[in-house]
């Protein structure tokens, strides 16, 4: 399973990259706004800065909601760097835009997926990734992980090449369950990735090893 980090914060992206397990980055307009990134030039420069840190696959989201606007923005975003994946919302015009961008050889990530039906549409249009938001489904008492299982099953059954990018991940159990269910990618905040490191028995065991070594060495 690939790990993407879900942030526009350069320091966090660098930290995850330095850990050696990062395969890509996802952003969205809210995450960009959180970093105070506004205006076309600043946004382009920020995406470029992200691309300069990681090896590949930086999702950059369009703001337009009409077909022409999404195509124009998608082409502009794709020009910033070959690592860019154009993120397009799951709306009617978005499906058409995904189909068009796919035909132009531009990779897409269909975002705001909340049902298997939407995931089927995005795959048929040629999306490179679909992003089911599991945390936001859990928030309204729907089972986000069940949706991951459903989409993985459907894609495997029909041999769709679209990758399932589990998004809106809130904690380490979400991430582990997504791995069990066969999600191709999980995008999550830095704290979820580093949270996988933690186990009290690891800390206890290491402390014991070091203490025993020190004792034997007469320290
Ligand atoms: C995915 O690409 C989105 O940016 C993200 O995962 C949304 O997560 P949230 O529900 O925590 O905002």
């Amino acid at each position: 399973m690939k790990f993407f980090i879900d942030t526009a914060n350069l320091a966090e992206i660098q930290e995850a990259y330095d850990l050696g397990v990062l395969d890509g980055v996802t952003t969205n307009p809210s995450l960009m706004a959180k970093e105070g990134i506004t205006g076309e030039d600043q946004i382009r420069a920020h995406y470029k800065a992200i691309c300069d840190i990681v090896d590949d696959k930086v999702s950059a989201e369009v703001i337009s909601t009409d077909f022409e606007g999404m195509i124009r923005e998608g082409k502009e975003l794709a020009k910033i760097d070959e690592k860019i994946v154009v993120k397009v919302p799951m709306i009617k015009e978005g499906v058409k835009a995904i189909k068009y961008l796919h035909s132009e050889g531009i990779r897409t990530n269909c975002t705001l997926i909340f049902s298997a039906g939407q995931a089927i549409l995005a795959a048929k249009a040629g999306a490179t990734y679909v992003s089911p938001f599991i945390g936001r489904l859990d928030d309204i008492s729907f089972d986000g992980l069940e949706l991951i299982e459903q989409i993985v099953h459907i894609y495997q059954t029909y041999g769709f090449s679209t990758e399932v990018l589990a998004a809106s991940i809130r904690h380490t159990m979400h991430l582990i369950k997504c791995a069990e269910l066969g999600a191709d990618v999980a995008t999550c905040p830095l704290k979820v990735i580093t949270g996988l490191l933690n186990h009290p028995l690891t800390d206890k065991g290491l402390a014991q090893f070091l203490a025993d070594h020190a004792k034997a060495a007469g320290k």
Side-chain angles (χ1 to χ4, degrees):
M1 183 171 64
K2 290 186 274 281
F3 279 11
F4 291 179
I5 188 167
D6 195 31
T7 183
N9 182 284
L10 298 180
E12 289 184 3
I13 294 168
Q14 186 68 59
E15 187 178 336
Y17 183 78
D18 290 344
L19 191 59
V21 298
L22 193 66
D23 301 293
V25 179
T26 52
T27 62
N28 63 40
S30 306
L31 293 171
M32 293 291 273
K34 194 172 157 199
E35 299 306 313
I37 311 297
T38 53
E40 234 172 81
D41 289 348
Q42 216 189 345
I43 289 173
R44 287 176 63 84
H46 199 75
Y47 282 138
K48 183 65 187 153
I50 294 175
C51 289
D52 287 345
I53 296 174
V54 300
D55 297 330
D56 197 9
K57 301 178 196 88
V58 175
S59 281
E61 188 159 341
V62 298
I63 310 297
S64 305
T65 51
D66 62 300
F67 175 75
E68 300 298 340
M70 283 191 255
I71 295 306
R72 182 183 38 77
E73 265 192 76
K75 284 182 172 175
E76 284 301 313
L77 289 168
K79 269 190 228 154
I80 296 173
D81 195 290
E82 61 185 13
K83 296 172 189 171
I84 293 284
V85 175
V86 179
K87 209 170 176 190
V88 178
M90 171 34 78
I91 53 176
K92 193 197 267 185
E93 298 296 290
V95 173
K96 293 180 195 169
I98 288 167
K99 175 94 182 166
Y100 179 84
L101 292 169
H102 177 60
S103 73
E104 292 284 300
I106 295 173
R107 296 179 297 184
T108 56
N109 172 0
C110 188
T111 190
L112 293 167
I113 295 281
F114 292 97
S115 76
Q118 292 177 326
I120 293 170
L121 271 180
K124 285 188 69 68
T128 316
Y129 302 98
V130 283
S131 290
F133 278 33
I134 62 179
R136 292 192 195 185
L137 278 171
D138 287 358
D139 288 346
I140 58 159
S141 308
F142 282 82
D143 190 343
L145 288 166
E146 202 174 292
L147 177 60
I148 298 294
E149 188 172 19
Q150 225 182 346
I151 299 172
V152 167
H153 174 71
I154 293 167
Y155 282 8
Q156 279 175 357
T157 303
Y158 290 97
F160 284 122
S161 58
T162 302
E163 294 191 32
V164 180
L165 194 173
S168 186
I169 288 182
R170 300 278 158 77
H171 46 72
T172 51
M173 275 314 287
H174 267 159
L175 181 52
I176 293 163
K177 284 285 170 196
C178 283
E180 280 180 13
L181 294 171
D184 301 284
V185 192
T187 190
C188 33
L190 179 64
K191 72 171 181 2
V192 174
I193 298 175
T194 54
L196 295 176
L197 290 164
N198 302 333
H199 200 290
L201 291 180
T202 304
D203 299 340
K204 191 178 167 200
L206 181 59
Q208 185 69 59
F209 287 156
L210 297 178
D212 288 347
H213 172 76
K215 203 166 148 195
K219 286 180 192 164

